[in-house]
Coordinates of all heavy atoms in Angstrom, one line a residue:
D1 N -0.8 3.1 -7.4 CA -1.9 3.7 -8.2 C -3.2 2.9 -8.0 O -3.2 1.7 -7.4 CB -1.5 3.8 -9.7 CG -1.3 2.6 -10.4 OD1 -1.4 1.5 -9.8 OD2 -0.9 2.7 -11.6
E2 N -4.2 3.4 -8.6 CA -5.5 2.7 -8.4 C -5.6 1.4 -9.0 O -6.1 0.4 -8.4 CB -6.6 3.6 -9.1 CG -8.0 3.1 -8.9 CD -8.5 3.2 -7.5 OE1 -8.0 3.9 -6.7 OE2 -9.6 2.4 -7.2
A3 N -5.0 1.1 -10.1 CA -5.0 -0.2 -10.7 C -4.3 -1.2 -9.8 O -4.8 -2.4 -9.6 CB -4.3 -0.2 -12.1
M4 N -3.1 -0.9 -9.3 CA -2.5 -1.8 -8.4 C -3.2 -2.1 -7.0 O -3.2 -3.1 -6.5 CB -1.0 -1.2 -8.0 CG -0.1 -1.4 -9.2 SD 1.7 -1.1 -8.7 CE 2.1 -2.5 -7.8
R5 N -3.8 -1.0 -6.5 CA -4.6 -1.2 -5.3 C -5.7 -2.2 -5.5 O -5.9 -3.0 -4.7 CB -5.2 0.3 -4.9 CG -6.0 0.1 -3.5 CD -6.7 1.4 -3.2 NE -7.7 1.7 -4.3 CZ -8.9 1.1 -4.3 NH1 -9.3 0.1 -3.5 NH2 -9.8 1.4 -5.3
V6 N -6.4 -2.0 -6.6 CA -7.5 -3.0 -6.9 C -7.0 -4.4 -7.0 O -7.5 -5.3 -6.5 CB -8.3 -2.5 -8.2 CG1 -9.2 -3.6 -8.7 CG2 -9.0 -1.3 -8.0
E7 N -5.8 -4.6 -7.7 CA -5.2 -5.9 -8.0 C -4.7 -6.4 -6.5 O -5.0 -7.6 -6.3 CB -4.0 -5.7 -8.7 CG -3.4 -7.0 -9.2 CD -2.3 -6.7 -10.3 OE1 -2.3 -5.8 -11.0 OE2 -1.4 -7.6 -10.4
F8 N -4.1 -5.6 -5.7 CA -3.8 -6.0 -4.3 C -4.9 -6.5 -3.5 O -4.9 -7.5 -2.8 CB -2.9 -5.0 -3.6 CG -1.5 -4.9 -4.0 CD1 -1.0 -5.2 -5.1 CD2 -0.6 -4.6 -3.0 CE1 0.4 -5.1 -5.5 CE2 0.7 -4.6 -3.3 CZ 1.2 -4.8 -4.5
E9 N -6.1 -5.7 -3.5 CA -7.2 -6.0 -2.8 C -7.8 -7.3 -3.3 O -8.3 -8.2 -2.4 CB -8.2 -4.9 -2.9 CG -7.8 -3.7 -2.0 CD -8.8 -2.5 -2.1 OE1 -9.7 -2.6 -3.0 OE2 -8.7 -1.6 -1.2
A10 N -7.8 -7.6 -4.6 CA -8.3 -8.8 -5.3 C -7.6 -10.0 -4.7 O -8.1 -11.1 -4.5 CB -8.4 -8.7 -6.7
D11 N -6.2 -9.8 -4.5 CA -5.3 -10.9 -3.9 C -5.4 -11.0 -2.4 O -4.7 -11.9 -1.9 CB -3.9 -10.6 -4.4 CG -3.7 -10.9 -5.8 OD1 -4.4 -11.7 -6.4 OD2 -2.7 -10.3 -6.3
G12 N -6.2 -10.2 -1.8 CA -6.5 -10.4 -0.3 C -5.5 -9.5 0.5 O -5.5 -9.6 1.7
S13 N -4.8 -8.6 -0.1 CA -3.8 -7.8 0.6 C -4.6 -6.7 1.3 O -5.8 -6.3 0.9 CB -2.9 -7.1 -0.3 OG -2.0 -8.0 -0.9
E14 N -4.1 -6.3 2.4 CA -4.8 -5.2 3.3 C -3.7 -4.0 3.4 O -2.5 -4.1 3.2 CB -5.0 -5.7 4.7 CG -6.0 -6.9 4.7 CD -6.3 -7.3 6.1 OE1 -5.7 -6.9 7.0 OE2 -7.2 -8.2 6.1
P15 N -4.4 -2.9 3.6 CA -3.6 -1.6 3.8 C -2.5 -1.8 5.0 O -2.8 -2.5 6.0 CB -4.5 -0.4 4.1 CG -5.8 -1.0 3.7 CD -5.8 -2.5 3.9
F16 N -1.3 -1.1 4.8 CA -0.4 -1.1 5.9 C -1.0 -0.5 7.2 O -1.6 0.4 7.1 CB 0.8 -0.3 5.5 CG 1.9 -0.1 6.5 CD1 2.7 -1.3 6.9 CD2 2.0 1.0 7.1 CE1 3.6 -1.1 7.9 CE2 3.0 1.3 8.1 CZ 3.8 0.2 8.5
S17 N -0.7 -1.1 8.3 CA -1.2 -0.6 9.6 C -0.1 -0.7 10.6 O 0.7 -1.6 10.5 CB -2.5 -1.2 9.9 OG -2.4 -2.6 10.2
Y18 N -0.3 0.0 11.7 CA 0.7 -0.1 12.8 C 0.0 0.5 13.9 O -1.0 1.2 13.9 CB 2.0 0.7 12.5 CG 1.8 2.2 12.3 CD1 2.0 3.1 13.3 CD2 1.5 2.6 11.0 CE1 1.8 4.5 13.1 CE2 1.4 4.0 10.8 CZ 1.6 4.9 11.8 OH 1.4 6.2 11.6
R19 N 0.6 0.2 15.2 CA 0.1 0.8 16.5 C 1.0 1.9 16.9 O 2.2 1.9 16.8 CB 0.1 -0.3 17.6 CG -0.9 -1.3 17.3 CD -0.7 -2.4 18.6 NE -1.8 -3.2 18.7 CZ -2.9 -2.9 19.4 NH1 -2.9 -1.8 20.2 NH2 -3.9 -3.8 19.5
A20 N 0.3 3.0 17.4 CA 1.0 4.2 17.9 C 0.2 4.8 19.0 O -1.1 5.1 18.7 CB 1.3 5.1 16.8
A21 N 0.7 5.1 20.1 CA -0.1 5.8 21.2 C -1.3 5.2 21.5 O -2.3 5.8 21.6 CB -0.2 7.3 20.8
G22 N -1.3 3.8 21.5 CA -2.6 3.1 21.8 C -3.7 3.1 20.7 O -4.8 2.7 21.0
R23 N -3.3 3.5 19.6 CA -4.3 3.4 18.5 C -3.7 2.6 17.3 O -2.5 2.4 17.2 CB -4.4 4.8 17.9 CG -5.0 5.8 19.0 CD -5.1 7.2 18.3 NE -3.9 7.7 17.7 CZ -3.8 8.8 17.1 NH1 -4.8 9.6 17.1 NH2 -2.8 9.3 16.5
E24 N -4.6 2.0 16.6 CA -4.3 1.3 15.3 C -4.4 2.3 14.2 O -5.5 3.0 14.0 CB -5.2 0.2 15.1 CG -5.0 -0.7 13.9 CD -3.9 -1.6 14.1 OE1 -3.5 -1.9 15.2 OE2 -3.4 -2.2 13.1
V25 N -3.3 2.6 13.5 CA -3.2 3.6 12.4 C -3.1 2.8 11.1 O -2.3 1.9 10.9 CB -2.0 4.5 12.5 CG1 -1.9 5.4 11.3 CG2 -2.1 5.3 13.8
T26 N -4.0 3.0 10.2 CA -4.1 2.4 8.8 C -3.8 3.4 7.7 O -4.4 4.4 7.7 CB -5.5 1.8 8.6 OG1 -5.8 0.8 9.6 CG2 -5.4 1.0 7.1
V27 N -2.8 3.0 6.9 CA -2.3 3.9 5.9 C -2.9 3.3 4.7 O -2.3 2.4 4.1 CB -0.8 4.0 5.9 CG1 -0.3 5.1 4.7 CG2 -0.2 4.5 7.3
R28 N -3.9 3.9 4.1 CA -4.6 3.4 3.0 C -3.9 3.5 1.7 O -4.4 2.9 0.7 CB -6.0 3.9 2.9 CG -6.8 3.6 4.1 CD -8.3 4.0 4.0 NE -9.0 3.8 5.2 CZ -9.6 2.7 5.7 NH1 -9.4 1.5 5.0 NH2 -10.2 2.7 6.7
R29 N -2.8 4.2 1.6 CA -2.1 4.3 0.3 C -1.0 3.3 0.2 O -0.5 3.1 -0.9 CB -1.4 5.6 0.3 CG -2.4 6.8 0.1 CD -1.6 8.1 0.0 NE -0.6 8.2 -1.1 CZ -0.8 8.5 -2.3 NH1 -2.1 8.9 -2.7 NH2 0.1 8.5 -3.2
Y30 N -0.8 2.6 1.2 CA 0.3 1.4 1.2 C -0.4 0.1 1.5 O -0.9 -0.1 2.5 CB 1.4 1.8 2.1 CG 2.0 3.1 1.7 CD1 1.7 4.3 2.5 CD2 2.9 3.2 0.6 CE1 2.2 5.5 2.1 CE2 3.4 4.5 0.3 CZ 3.1 5.5 1.0 OH 3.7 6.8 0.7
Y31 N -0.1 -0.9 0.6 CA -0.6 -2.3 0.8 C 0.5 -3.2 0.9 O 1.5 -3.1 0.3 CB -1.6 -2.7 -0.4 CG -2.9 -2.1 -0.3 CD1 -3.2 -0.8 -0.4 CD2 -4.0 -2.9 0.0 CE1 -4.4 -0.2 -0.4 CE2 -5.3 -2.4 0.2 CZ -5.6 -1.1 -0.1 OH -6.7 -0.6 0.1
A32 N 0.3 -4.2 1.7 CA 1.2 -5.5 1.8 C 1.3 -6.1 0.5 O 0.3 -6.2 -0.2 CB 0.7 -6.4 2.9
V33 N 2.4 -6.6 0.1 CA 2.7 -7.3 -1.2 C 1.9 -8.7 -1.0 O 2.1 -9.3 0.0 CB 4.1 -7.4 -1.5 CG1 4.2 -8.3 -2.8 CG2 4.7 -6.1 -1.6
P34 N 1.1 -9.1 -1.9 CA 0.5 -10.4 -1.8 C 1.5 -11.5 -1.7 O 2.6 -11.5 -2.3 CB -0.3 -10.5 -3.2 CG -0.5 -9.1 -3.7 CD 0.7 -8.4 -3.2
A35 N 1.2 -12.5 -0.9 CA 2.2 -13.6 -0.6 C 2.7 -14.3 -1.9 O 3.9 -14.6 -2.0 CB 1.4 -14.6 0.3
H36 N 1.8 -14.5 -2.9 CA 2.2 -15.3 -4.1 C 3.3 -14.4 -4.8 O 4.1 -15.0 -5.6 CB 1.1 -15.7 -4.9 CG 0.5 -14.6 -5.7 ND1 -0.5 -13.7 -5.2 CD2 0.6 -14.1 -6.9 CE1 -0.8 -12.9 -6.1 NE2 -0.2 -13.1 -7.2
V37 N 3.2 -13.1 -4.7 CA 4.2 -12.3 -5.3 C 5.6 -12.4 -4.6 O 6.6 -12.4 -5.4 CB 3.7 -10.8 -5.4 CG1 4.8 -9.8 -5.9 CG2 2.4 -10.7 -6.1
I38 N 5.6 -12.4 -3.4 CA 6.8 -12.5 -2.6 C 7.6 -13.8 -3.0 O 8.8 -13.9 -3.0 CB 6.6 -12.6 -0.9 CG1 5.9 -11.3 -0.6 CG2 7.8 -12.9 -0.2 CD1 6.9 -10.1 -0.5
D39 N 6.8 -14.9 -3.3 CA 7.4 -16.2 -3.6 C 7.9 -16.3 -5.0 O 8.5 -17.3 -5.5 CB 6.3 -17.4 -3.3 CG 6.0 -17.4 -1.9 OD1 6.9 -17.1 -1.1 OD2 4.9 -17.9 -1.5
D40 N 7.7 -15.3 -5.9 CA 8.1 -15.4 -7.3 C 9.0 -14.2 -7.6 O 8.4 -13.0 -7.8 CB 6.8 -15.3 -8.1 CG 7.0 -15.3 -9.6 OD1 8.1 -15.0 -10.0 OD2 6.1 -15.7 -10.3
P41 N 10.3 -14.3 -7.7 CA 11.2 -13.2 -7.9 C 10.9 -12.3 -9.1 O 10.9 -11.1 -9.0 CB 12.7 -13.9 -8.0 CG 12.4 -15.2 -7.2 CD 11.0 -15.6 -7.4
A42 N 10.6 -13.0 -10.2 CA 10.3 -12.3 -11.4 C 9.0 -11.3 -11.3 O 9.0 -10.2 -11.7 CB 10.1 -13.1 -12.5
L43 N 8.0 -12.0 -10.6 CA 6.7 -11.3 -10.3 C 7.0 -10.1 -9.4 O 6.5 -9.0 -9.6 CB 5.6 -12.1 -9.8 CG 4.2 -11.6 -9.8 CD1 3.8 -11.0 -11.1 CD2 3.3 -12.6 -9.4
L44 N 7.7 -10.3 -8.3 CA 8.0 -9.3 -7.4 C 8.8 -8.1 -8.0 O 8.6 -7.0 -7.8 CB 8.9 -9.9 -6.3 CG 9.3 -9.0 -5.1 CD1 8.2 -8.4 -4.4 CD2 10.2 -9.7 -4.0
H45 N 9.8 -8.6 -8.9 CA 10.5 -7.4 -9.6 C 9.6 -6.6 -10.4 O 9.6 -5.4 -10.4 CB 11.6 -8.1 -10.5 CG 12.4 -7.1 -11.2 ND1 12.1 -6.7 -12.5 CD2 13.5 -6.4 -10.8 CE1 13.1 -5.8 -12.9 NE2 13.9 -5.6 -11.9
S46 N 8.6 -7.2 -11.0 CA 7.5 -6.5 -11.9 C 6.7 -5.7 -11.0 O 6.4 -4.4 -11.3 CB 6.7 -7.5 -12.6 OG 5.6 -6.9 -13.3
Y47 N 6.3 -6.1 -9.9 CA 5.5 -5.3 -8.9 C 6.3 -4.0 -8.4 O 5.8 -2.9 -8.3 CB 4.9 -6.1 -7.8 CG 3.7 -6.8 -7.9 CD1 3.4 -7.6 -9.0 CD2 2.7 -6.6 -7.1 CE1 2.2 -8.3 -9.2 CE2 1.4 -7.2 -7.2 CZ 1.2 -8.0 -8.2 OH 0.1 -8.7 -8.4
A48 N 7.6 -4.3 -8.1 CA 8.4 -3.3 -7.6 C 8.6 -2.2 -8.7 O 8.5 -1.0 -8.4 CB 9.8 -3.8 -7.2
E49 N 8.8 -2.6 -9.9 CA 9.0 -1.5 -10.9 C 7.6 -0.8 -11.2 O 7.7 0.4 -11.3 CB 9.4 -2.2 -12.3 CG 10.7 -2.6 -12.4 CD 11.2 -3.2 -13.8 OE1 10.3 -3.5 -14.5 OE2 12.4 -3.1 -14.0
R50 N 6.5 -1.4 -11.2 CA 5.1 -0.7 -11.2 C 5.0 0.2 -10.1 O 4.6 1.3 -10.3 CB 4.0 -1.8 -11.3 CG 4.1 -2.5 -12.6 CD 2.9 -3.6 -12.6 NE 1.6 -3.1 -12.3 CZ 0.7 -3.9 -11.8 NH1 0.9 -5.1 -11.5 NH2 -0.5 -3.4 -11.5
A51 N 5.4 -0.2 -8.9 CA 5.3 0.6 -7.8 C 6.1 1.9 -7.8 O 5.7 3.1 -7.5 CB 5.6 -0.1 -6.4
L52 N 7.3 1.7 -8.4 CA 8.2 2.9 -8.5 C 7.5 3.9 -9.5 O 7.7 5.1 -9.3 CB 9.6 2.5 -9.0 CG 10.5 1.8 -7.9 CD1 11.7 1.3 -8.6 CD2 10.7 2.8 -6.7
H53 N 7.0 3.3 -10.6 CA 6.5 4.3 -11.5 C 5.1 4.9 -11.0 O 4.7 6.0 -11.5 CB 6.1 3.5 -12.9 CG 7.3 3.2 -13.6 ND1 8.1 4.0 -14.2 CD2 7.9 1.9 -13.7 CE1 9.1 3.4 -14.8 NE2 9.1 2.2 -14.5
A54 N 4.5 4.3 -9.9 CA 3.3 4.8 -9.4 C 3.6 5.8 -8.3 O 2.7 6.5 -7.7 CB 2.4 3.7 -8.9
T55 N 4.8 6.0 -7.9 CA 5.3 6.8 -6.8 C 4.9 8.3 -7.2 O 5.1 8.8 -8.3 CB 6.8 6.7 -6.6 OG1 7.1 5.3 -6.2 CG2 7.2 7.7 -5.3
P56 N 4.3 9.0 -6.1 CA 3.9 10.4 -6.4 C 5.1 11.2 -6.8 O 6.3 11.1 -6.5 CB 3.4 10.8 -5.0 CG 3.1 9.5 -4.2 CD 4.1 8.5 -4.8
T57 N 4.8 12.2 -7.6 CA 5.9 13.1 -8.1 C 6.1 14.2 -7.1 O 5.3 14.5 -6.1 CB 5.3 13.8 -9.4 OG1 4.1 14.4 -9.1 CG2 5.2 12.7 -10.5
P58 N 7.2 14.9 -7.2 CA 7.5 16.0 -6.3 C 6.4 17.0 -6.3 O 5.7 17.2 -7.2 CB 8.7 16.7 -6.9 CG 9.4 15.5 -7.6 CD 8.3 14.7 -8.2
G59 N 6.1 17.5 -5.2 CA 5.0 18.4 -5.0 C 3.7 17.7 -4.4 O 2.7 18.4 -4.2
H60 N 3.8 16.4 -4.2 CA 2.7 15.6 -3.6 C 2.5 16.0 -2.3 O 3.4 16.2 -1.5 CB 3.1 14.1 -3.7 CG 2.1 13.2 -2.9 ND1 0.9 12.9 -3.5 CD2 2.1 12.6 -1.7 CE1 0.2 12.1 -2.7 NE2 0.9 12.0 -1.7
R61 N 1.2 16.4 -1.9 CA 0.9 16.9 -0.6 C 0.6 15.8 0.3 O -0.1 14.8 0.0 CB -0.3 17.9 -0.7 CG 0.0 19.1 -1.6 CD -1.3 19.9 -1.7 NE -2.5 19.1 -1.9 CZ -3.3 19.3 -2.9 NH1 -3.3 20.2 -3.6 NH2 -4.3 18.4 -3.0
L62 N 1.1 15.9 1.6 CA 0.7 15.0 2.6 C -0.7 14.9 2.8 O -1.2 13.8 3.0 CB 1.5 15.3 4.0 CG 1.2 14.3 5.1 CD1 1.8 13.0 4.7 CD2 2.0 14.9 6.3
S63 N -1.4 15.9 2.6 CA -2.9 15.9 2.8 C -3.7 15.0 1.8 O -4.8 14.6 1.9 CB -3.6 17.2 2.6 OG -3.2 17.8 1.4
D64 N -2.8 14.6 0.7 CA -3.4 13.6 -0.3 C -3.3 12.2 0.3 O -3.9 11.3 -0.3 CB -2.6 13.7 -1.6 CG -2.8 15.0 -2.3 OD1 -3.8 15.7 -2.1 OD2 -2.0 15.3 -3.2
T65 N -2.7 12.0 1.4 CA -2.5 10.6 2.0 C -3.7 10.4 2.9 O -4.0 11.2 3.8 CB -1.3 10.6 2.8 OG1 -0.1 10.7 1.9 CG2 -1.0 9.1 3.4
M66 N -4.4 9.3 2.7 CA -5.5 9.0 3.6 C -5.1 8.2 4.7 O -4.5 7.1 4.4 CB -6.7 8.4 2.6 CG -7.2 9.1 1.5 SD -8.4 8.2 0.6 CE -7.5 6.8 0.1
L67 N -5.5 8.6 5.9 CA -5.2 7.7 7.1 C -6.5 7.4 7.8 O -7.5 8.1 7.8 CB -4.4 8.6 8.0 CG -3.0 9.0 7.6 CD1 -2.3 9.8 8.7 CD2 -2.1 7.8 7.4
A68 N -6.5 6.2 8.4 CA -7.7 5.9 9.2 C -7.1 5.4 10.5 O -6.2 4.5 10.6 CB -8.3 4.7 8.6
V69 N -7.6 6.0 11.6 CA -7.1 5.8 12.9 C -8.3 5.4 13.7 O -9.4 5.9 13.8 CB -6.5 7.1 13.5 CG1 -6.1 6.9 14.9 CG2 -5.4 7.7 12.6
T70 N -8.0 4.2 14.5 CA -9.0 3.7 15.4 C -8.4 3.5 16.8 O -7.2 3.1 16.8 CB -9.7 2.3 14.9 OG1 -8.5 1.4 14.7 CG2 -10.4 2.5 13.6
S71 N -9.2 3.7 17.8 CA -8.7 3.4 19.1 C -8.7 1.9 19.4 O -9.6 1.3 19.0 CB -9.6 4.1 20.1 OG -9.5 5.5 20.0
V72 N -7.7 1.5 20.1 CA -7.6 0.1 20.5 C -7.9 0.1 22.0 O -7.1 0.7 22.8 CB -6.2 -0.4 20.2 CG1 -6.1 -1.8 20.7 CG2 -6.0 -0.4 18.7
G73 N -8.9 -0.7 22.4 CA -9.3 -0.6 23.8 C -8.8 -1.8 24.5 O -8.3 -2.2 25.5

């Protein structure tokens, strides 16, 4: 959700990205978990629970997912 995205960005996390067909694809709805969260089991559990509650409900459209694609030269 928006609150978690802001928190992740403040912690220096970046959106999930991968390479496909010679392009870098960034999925702006998914962020890497901040490193300090990975190192703290209780905090990681809390983040996981929050993420589950922020998961889109049935009927969520794929078009609601924002993608950014850039060519890699």
Side-chain angles (χ1 to χ4, degrees):
D1 66 359
E2 182 67 17
M4 285 189 78
R5 183 189 62 77
V6 169
E7 191 173 334
F8 275 37
E9 286 178 346
D11 283 337
S13 291
E14 295 182 358
F16 174 74
S17 64
Y18 62 94
R19 289 178 162 272
R23 305 180 304 179
E24 182 79 14
V25 178
T26 302
V27 184
R28 298 190 186 277
R29 290 182 55 89
Y30 301 101
Y31 279 72
V33 177
H36 75 278
V37 175
I38 296 287
D39 295 334
D40 182 337
L43 188 56
L44 180 58
H45 184 264
S46 171
Y47 269 57
E49 284 186 342
R50 288 175 55 203
L52 285 173
H53 291 289
T55 301
T57 57
H60 174 77
R61 299 178 314 233
L62 182 59
S63 62
D64 292 339
T65 302
M66 300 180 301
L67 298 176
V69 179
T70 56
S71 296
V72 175

